[in-house]
Amino acid sequence: MPLVDTKKMFEMAYKNGYAVGAFNVNNMEITQGIVDAVAEEKAPLILQISRGARKYASMSYLMAIIDVAVKENPDIPIAVHLDHGDTFEICKQCVDEGFTSVMIDASSLPFKQNVDTTAKVVEYAHSNGVVVEAELGQLGGIEEDIEGVSSDEVSKHLTDPDQAIEFVNSTGCDSLAVAVGTSHGAYKFKTVPKLAFDVIEKISKRLPGFPLVMHGSSSVLKEFKDLINKYGGNMPDAMGVPEEAISKAAKMAICKVNIDTDLRMALTAKIRQVFAENPAEFDPRKYLGPGRAAIKSMVKHKLNVLGCNGKAAECL
Ligand code: G3H
Ligand code: 13P
Ligand code: ZN
């Protein structure tokens, strides 16, 4: 089965009350860990590529790795998505390179410019059979090299439901990333956050069936934070989005949940542990292998949190 877009995944996710995991890929081991997890859990999958990932590994290496994953897993619907595309040109390039979904993130621009930029991307992408995610509202943390609002400010920059309706109707985008209290990176919050479920509710009442996306949704798992700190790391104040809140959002109109930081932390924690316990080790397979296994088991757990385990077949 070739790469798929996200239409069917989102239709089923919305209808059956779950969300599809969108995981960032930067190299082979990260991709394999994620794909092995969805293969075992029989879950639909969105693999996403950021600007940083393209700079690090190059688009063609990442696409070739994903191509192998798709060929080896014919029963798993896999979409390849551009994460935080900030210009029409990068979205066009990714459409032309075979992505099945692109994100145009013009959320830092004034409303009218966000609408115009998004509409232009939608026109090009749709004429090439590619779906478009847009963003309205501002998340906290760091988005690529765009600095978002500070975590304390997160709740003041939530997506306005009235604007969201107008935005979706005027752009024709296929899904919308909303600011509902999540934040990018490992240092999201100082206290346990409360997500704005009322914003999700208000939008979904007026746009029934329309898929919403939650970025910045890593939970910054204590297990990995503790391992990192135990083995020489320094991430004392890291705090993420509680998994119960993610499960609750997934049962609502949130159909795609973005996770990157939790992958990074799983890999880093395992590698640090191997180095600390075996200081003589220098074979990359001996630390990247356990790192990949840690990603796999973390992703399997996340698929259960999202409720998309066992849902691959209905999304094909
Ligand atoms: O939202 C941002 C993602 O975590 C990607 O980050 O640009 O460092 O790859 P990156
Ligand atoms: P995290 O930093 O919470 O993993 O968010 C990733 C993300 O939103 C990618 O677009
Ligand atoms: Zn994001």
Side-chain angles (χ1 to χ4, degrees):
M1 146 131 220
L3 284 170
V4 298
D5 66 30
T6 54
K7 271 189 208 147
K8 182 82 177 176
M9 293 180 190
F10 290 170
E11 185 193 323
M12 300 317 288
Y14 198 101
K15 191 168 135 206
N16 295 328
Y18 60 89
V20 180
F23 298 96
N24 287 71
V25 291
N26 286 277
N27 68 9
M28 183 186 76
E29 284 79 5
I30 294 172
T31 313
Q32 287 177 327
I34 298 164
V35 172
D36 289 353
V38 298
E40 277 188 23
E41 294 291 324
K42 306 212 174 322
L45 173 64
I46 300 167
L47 291 173
Q48 53 189 14
I49 297 177
S50 68
R51 177 157 28 133
R54 294 194 306 278
K55 202 166 152 193
Y56 172 73
S58 93
M59 186 103 102
S60 43
Y61 265 91
L62 293 172
M63 287 302 264
I65 292 167
I66 293 172
D67 195 40
V68 176
V70 169
K71 287 199 178 103
E72 288 189 349
N73 294 281
D75 301 333
I76 303 294
I78 301 178
V80 61
H81 172 78
L82 167 66
D83 192 27
H84 292 287
D86 56 350
T87 60
F88 170 78
E89 287 71 29
I90 184 60
C91 292
K92 178 180 182 302
Q93 192 193 340
C94 290
V95 167
D96 296 346
E97 296 273 348
F99 281 50
T100 56
S101 173
V102 292
M103 175 186 193
I104 173 67
D105 178 1
S107 61
S108 58
L109 300 177
F111 183 79
K112 172 83 173 73
Q113 278 166 265
N114 188 358
V115 167
D116 292 347
T117 311
T118 302
K120 190 174 169 194
V121 171
V122 167
E123 189 187 5
Y124 186 77
H126 284 185
S127 65
N128 287 278
V130 171
V131 292
V132 178
E133 173 186 326
E135 179 168 325
L136 186 66
Q138 254 185 301
L139 271 83
I142 308 287
E143 284 186 358
E144 307 225 333
D145 54 5
I146 301 166
E147 195 156 346
V149 291
S150 82
S151 296
D152 297 340
E153 294 277 300
V154 163
S155 58
K156 296 184 200 151
H157 295 266
L158 302 179
T159 303
D160 177 297
D162 291 328
Q163 275 200 342
I165 316 303
E166 188 187 340
F167 185 88
V168 169
N169 289 333
S170 19
T171 60
C173 63
D174 301 279
S175 61
L176 184 67
V178 285
V180 290
T182 61
S183 175
H184 287 96
Y187 302 94
K188 297 181 193 301
F189 314 110
K190 293 196 172 74
T191 54
V192 178
K194 284 194 170 49
L195 298 192
F197 295 110
D198 58 315
V199 171
I200 302 174
E201 188 87 40
K202 279 181 191 149
I203 298 174
S204 63
K205 274 214 171 98
R206 290 172 61 196
L207 287 175
F210 186 81
L212 301 179
V213 177
M214 211 160 76
H215 281 244
S217 298
S218 281
S219 303
V220 188
L221 298 159
K222 185 173 167 359
E223 169 196 350
F224 297 124
K225 185 176 77 170
D226 289 349
L227 272 182
I228 288 171
N229 290 335
K230 177 175 175 188
Y231 292 115
N234 184 15
M235 301 186 73
D237 298 322
M239 190 188 283
V241 183
E243 290 187 334
E244 312 80 69
I246 294 173
S247 293
K248 182 172 172 183
K251 290 190 181 80
M252 301 171 74
I254 297 292
C255 296
K256 172 175 179 271
V257 168
N258 282 17
I259 295 174
D260 187 2
T261 297
D262 284 341
L263 298 166
R264 297 176 182 195
M265 288 181 67
L267 185 61
T268 302
K270 238 338 156 198
I271 290 176
R272 277 194 176 279
Q273 185 177 12
V274 173
F275 283 159
E277 290 175 351
N278 311 283
E281 189 54 71
F282 64 94
D283 179 344
R285 295 168 297 188
K286 299 283 168 50
Y287 51 87
L288 292 175
R292 177 176 59 189
I295 285 179
K296 178 180 172 183
S297 77
M298 188 279 289
V299 172
K300 285 181 71 163
H301 165 72
K302 287 288 169 185
L303 300 172
N304 284 270
V305 170
L306 299 173
C308 63
N309 49 323
K311 308 292 189 195
E314 69 179 35
C315 297
L316 282 169

